[in-house]
């Protein structure tokens, strides 16, 4: 017998990021839209054919997108916000929604717990939902013309609504009765395409502790959809976690199959008893990491599923769309870790291979040797990457310390007398504008085109200017500006042992933007100080304190690909130890304030409520371990670029940073109230400068912002600072803006002093 195979979705950016390049040229008016279409068509064809050649049965169409699939779904449903409705040209309108054009772009946010960002739908009563099936239908026909009969991917209505925001701030599910008819019309159109068509509705929202309301909507929605399209086989696909609650109501509807992620949602096995009559799309090849899969473990998993579900109803699949994985390992240079890697292209092969092995039941000698070979290529297999047993790996934290000395009260008193800062101290978050000259110097140095001395001079020059400027406008706590860093994680990854950098491991982050996350594969250690040279230099140029600037352990971990045979908490701990050594060295160099950025702390939260405690515990431990070497009189800052703290305030409190700077320029006081309500003790720097916008706020506006924040934050605990780092802005914007910010801080400080004198 044969076992069928399915790939949930394939990366669309292209082997050489062709889509990125053509889109950016089109946006820069360098090429006409036709060229974008040609590239897109060529990419789709290439991706369909390579999956076909690998023997995949269910290959997706409509997994492609010129920007984002949620945005495509808005277009498909006619959910175009009014401010864009007047743009006559279809493509212009599409990209205006994504990127703005005079009017503000639509909001973008992270897709579940991945680093992929989608465009957030804005729903309102005045929207007229109307089907536009053009993209869905034409991609199916295009594939068919290329000799591939596809399954059609569509984002399911409940996930679409669950991720939408509404103009009136109310719940979004009230629009279900409006969009469901449009989805039904879509299925009617799809039904005309062929005698029997497969449609995959992506419903990852089902894995996030679905409420009773959602569970009842599942039955209703898929009951109706399954009835609507004659000859259509509906697959409802979930991923990133288990969907145990949703399986039962789904199985009460006449859908054809259910996609379940058995890697990130191991509890899915428990739900199989309800699903024995359905086809099970078994997600067992990891769609979101970069490591070779363990084929034997995959086979065991398939056998477990087979105990409940007949073999002919099992479809071997990826755990989620391969969108979250880079393109192919074959483009990587030789390295000790290459044989351990599997990117999208190789994962497709794994799906196919697993199905063959599973189908054959009793393995032949050749098949056994395939498994043997696979074992040898696994990280934890017979031939692992050598891991060094170095000083940070296993050694107990210095003096067994797990957290720093002193209560906040004790530390604060010492820091106050040591630092002697004014009321409402003004500071920035770390980076200053990255100029073209700076980028060039960094690149030239990397390529060996300029000697270290020339490069160092360039960086020092930048620091000189940066410090002089901050002195001139009167900021209280200075930074060196981060001129030596291209990226806050990559910089540290390159200086720590245990990291590997791929050459082509690009993953789409949003629109045309791709990131190349570092790979953590060995024990992490710090051969030498990483930041001391630069911070010490900056400090030598001023009497005011210069902040040491580090990226936190949880953020370094969350923004890297981590080997999957070592628990994440253990890796976080190793990073934390390395950072704690750096803090000790910074102190020795006379640095009095050190900031440990945790920009990605929040996005690491698990999707399931029941798992948050565990994450919070080890993430917290890692952060506390990282700062454990800080003296009582050293002021520790942490920075987080978001403003939603309501649900994690206890953890923020437990992190116990002396000063926490956050993003609030857009959201205002609303989300800050929680700090007041919970009587948060430590100091807070609420962002008053929206660094995502090129706008330069006036001193009067800054004053308003500061006064507003003082309604919820005690004046003795408040700092004045921007929302985040300034590296994406220009000096022309930053100079006047920071000047105005500092001026406003001084003005409010005086106003407070005057009222106190009276
Ligand atoms: N210190 C970093 C900077 O200013 C922080 C960046 C971030 O939080 N994303 O660039
Ligand atoms: Zn930030």
């Amino acid at each position: 017998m044969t076992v069928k195979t399915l790939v949930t979705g394939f990366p669309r950016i292209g082997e050489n990021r062709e889509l990125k390049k053509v889109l950016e040229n089109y946006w820069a008016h360098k090429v006409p839209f036709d060229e974008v279409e040609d590239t897109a068509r060529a990419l789709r064809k290439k991706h369909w054919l390579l999956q076909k050649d690998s023997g995949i049965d269910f290959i997706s169409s409509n997994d492609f997108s010129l920007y984002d699939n949620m945005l495509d779904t808005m277009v498909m449903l006619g959910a175009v916000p009014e401010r864009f409705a007047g743009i006559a040209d279809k493509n212009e309108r599409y990209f205006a929604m994504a990127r703005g054009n005079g009017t503000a772009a639509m909001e973008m946010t992270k897709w579940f717990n991945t680093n992929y960002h989608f465009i957030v739908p804005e729903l309102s009563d005045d929207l007229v939902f109307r089907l536009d099936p053009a993209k869905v239908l034409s991609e199916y026909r295009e594939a068919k013309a290329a000799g591939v009969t596809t399954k059609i991917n569509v984002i399911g209505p409940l996930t679409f609504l669950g991720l939408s925001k509404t103009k009136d701030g109310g719940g979004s599910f009230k629009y279900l009765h409006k969009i469901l008819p449009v989805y039904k019309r879509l299925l009617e159109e799809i039904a005309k395409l062929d005698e029997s068509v497969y449609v995959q509705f992506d419903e990852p929202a089902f894995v996030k502790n679905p409420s009773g309301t959602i569970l009842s909507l599942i039955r209703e929605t898929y009951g109706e959809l399954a009835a609507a399209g004659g000859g259509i086989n509906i697959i409802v696909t979930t991923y990133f976690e288990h969907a145990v609650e949703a399986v039962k109501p789904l199985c009460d509807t006449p859908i054809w199959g259910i996609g379940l992620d058995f890697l990130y949602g191991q509890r899915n096995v428990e739900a199989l008893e309800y699903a024995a009559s359905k086809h099970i799309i078994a997600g067992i090849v990891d769609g979101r990491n970069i490591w070779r899969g363990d084929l034997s473990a995959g086979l065991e998993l398939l056998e477990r599923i087979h105990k409940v579900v007949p073999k002919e109803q099992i479809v071997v699949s990826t755990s989620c769309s391969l969108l979250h994985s880079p393109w192919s390992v074959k483009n990587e240079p030789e390295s000790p870790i290459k044989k351990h890697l599997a990117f999208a292209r190789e994962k497709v092969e794994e799906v196919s291979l697993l199905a063959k092995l599973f189908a054959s039941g009793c393995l032949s000698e050749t098949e056994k040797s395939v498994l043997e070979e696979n074992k040898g290529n696994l990280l934890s297999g017979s031939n692992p990457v050598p891991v060094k047993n170095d000083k940070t790996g296993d050694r107990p934290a210095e003096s067994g310390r797990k957290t720093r000395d002193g209560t906040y009260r004790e530390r604060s008193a010492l820091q106050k007398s040591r630092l002697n800062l004014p009321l409402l101290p003004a500071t920035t978050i770390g980076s200053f504008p990255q100029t073209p000259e700076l980028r060039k110097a960094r690149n030239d140095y990397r390529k060996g085109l300029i000697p270290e001395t020339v490069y160092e001079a360039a960086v020092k020059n930048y620091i000189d200017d940066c410090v002089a400027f901050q002195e001139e406008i009167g900021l209280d706590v200075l930074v060196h500006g981060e001129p030596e860093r291209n990226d806050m994680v990559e910089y540290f990854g390159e200086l720590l042992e245990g990291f590997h950098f791929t050459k082509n491991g690009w993953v789409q982050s949003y629109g045309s933007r791709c990131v190349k996350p570092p790979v953590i594969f060995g024990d992490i250690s710090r051969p030498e100080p990483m930041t001391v040279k630069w911070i010490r230099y900056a400090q030598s140029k001023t009497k005011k304190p210069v902040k040491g600037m580090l990226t936190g352990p949880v953020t370094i971990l969350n923004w890297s690909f981590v080997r999957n045979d070592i628990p994440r908490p253990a890796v976080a701990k190793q990073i934390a130890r390395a950072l704690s050594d750096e803090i000790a060295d910074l102190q020795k160099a006379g640095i009095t304030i050190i900031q440990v950025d945790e920009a990605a702390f929040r996005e690491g939260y698990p999707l399931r409520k029941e798992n948050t405690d565990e994450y919070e515990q080890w993430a917290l431990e890692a952060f506390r371990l990282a700062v454990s070497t800080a003296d009582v009189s050293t002021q520790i800052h942490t920075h987080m670029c978001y403003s939603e703290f309501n649900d994690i305030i206890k953890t923020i409190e437990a992190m116990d940073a002396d000063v926490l700077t956050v993003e609030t320029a857009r959201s205002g006081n609303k989300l800050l109230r929680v700090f007041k309500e919970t009587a948060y003790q430590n100091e807070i720097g609420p962002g008053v400068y929206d660094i995502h916008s090129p706008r330069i706020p006036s001193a009067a506006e800054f004053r308003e912002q500061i006064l507003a924040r003082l309604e919820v934050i005690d004046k003795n605990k408040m700092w004045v600072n921007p929302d985040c780092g300034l590296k994406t802005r220009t000096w022309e914007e930053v100079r006047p803006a920071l000047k105005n910010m500092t001026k406003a801080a001084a003005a409010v400080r005086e106003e407070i002093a005057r009222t106190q004198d009276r």
Side-chain angles (χ1 to χ4, degrees), residues 429-431 482 488 549 559 595 597 599 639 641 724-727:
I429 303 305
S431 58
E482 304 180 21
M488 65 190 283
M549 196 56 66
W559 281 347
Q595 179 172 311
D597 290 324
H639 164 71
C641 11
C724 191
L726 304 165
K727 72 169 175 215

Side-chain angles (χ1 to χ4, degrees), residues 61 144 227 259 275 296 343 394 499 541-542 664:
S61 61
K144 188 106 183 184
S296 305
F343 296 173
D394 284 337
F499 280 77
K541 296 280 156 172
T542 175
T664 52

Side-chain angles (χ1 to χ4, degrees), residues 451-589:
E452 189 169 351
T453 45
V454 174
Y455 170 67
E456 276 209 28
V459 172
K460 286 185 171 166
N461 225 327
Y462 184 101
I463 295 177
D464 289 344
D465 292 348
C466 197
V467 170
F469 167 71
Q470 296 172 81
E471 286 257 18
E472 179 196 314
I473 62 166
L475 282 158
D476 302 297
V477 172
L478 313 194
V479 296
H480 75 301
E482 304 180 21
E484 77 286 18
R485 306 181 192 180
N486 39 353
D487 174 276
M488 65 190 283
V489 170
E490 193 176 70
Y491 178 77
F492 290 96
E494 284 180 345
L495 296 174
L496 290 165
E497 289 285 326
F499 280 77
H500 172 85
F501 289 86
T502 63
K503 187 149 177 289
N504 278 296
W506 295 102
V507 180
Q508 194 174 5
S509 171
Y510 63 87
S512 65
R513 194 180 151 79
C514 301
V515 293
K516 195 152 65 70
V519 179
I520 299 180
F521 76 96
D523 270 341
I524 293 171
S525 66
R526 189 195 68 139
E528 312 179 84
M530 305 178 284
T531 62
V532 177
K533 175 166 72 177
W534 306 121
I535 308 290
R536 181 197 278 136
Y537 178 76
Q539 185 63 82
S540 75
K541 296 280 156 172
T542 175
K543 293 218 159 49
K544 291 192 169 167
V546 174
K547 284 194 267 191
M549 196 56 66
L550 306 174
T551 302
V554 184
T555 297
I556 292 184
L557 180 85
N558 284 343
W559 281 347
S560 302
F561 281 121
V562 185
R563 58 188 290 169
N564 56 357
D565 60 329
I566 296 179
R568 292 170 75 82
V571 182
K573 212 176 224 177
Q574 292 189 347
I575 306 172
R577 291 230 170 99
L579 291 170
S580 73
D581 287 346
E582 184 74 10
I583 289 183
D585 284 340
L586 282 167
Q587 284 177 154
K588 274 184 221 144

Side-chain angles (χ1 to χ4, degrees), residues 212-272:
T213 323
I214 295 195
L215 293 177
S216 65
L217 290 179
I218 289 178
R219 204 172 268 119
E220 185 186 320
T221 305
Y222 283 95
E224 281 192 40
L225 288 177
I232 295 185
N233 298 307
I234 292 182
I235 299 169
V236 177
T237 289
T238 62
Y239 35 81
F240 304 147
E241 250 296 355
H242 76 77
V244 163
E245 302 91 337
V247 170
K248 198 169 183 319
L250 273 173
C251 290
D252 291 343
T253 70
I255 61 169
W256 182 85
I258 302 183
L260 297 172
D261 176 343
F262 289 93
L263 297 180
Y264 294 84
Q266 297 184 359
R267 279 195 53 200
N268 272 328
V269 176
E270 296 166 29
L272 290 173

